[in-house]
Amino acid sequence: MPALNVEFSDRELEDLRQIAKERGTSMKALVREAAAADIARHRALQEGAEAFRRFFASHADEFAAAFPEDEASATGEGRVA
């Protein structure tokens, strides 16, 4: 399995040791779990953003009617997401 060397400050390393000890796990497992959770969060945010874009695009006319002040005017003014 590929590996990655990560540098921490002395304070961060001590904090990691303490947290791992409190949780009854290894520092390696703690850091891997944190990285895996952040990867999952990032993927979920990307998927959510894409779902929102699809929803917004499929209901663009309804949004335009509901929020006409946010539509670009003929002169190019206005807010557009």
Side-chain angles (χ1 to χ4, degrees), residues 30-76:
L30 180 69
V31 171
R32 186 177 188 302
E33 181 182 310
D38 195 53
I39 290 167
R41 178 182 166 275
H42 179 75
R43 286 180 182 157
L45 287 172
Q46 286 182 317
E47 291 170 7
E50 183 55 36
F52 174 78
R53 282 190 284 275
R54 284 192 309 269
F55 178 82
F56 188 84
S58 67
H59 295 86
D61 292 340
E62 295 166 61
F63 281 107
F67 306 102
E69 67 278 3
D70 288 343
E71 290 298 303
S73 67
T75 61

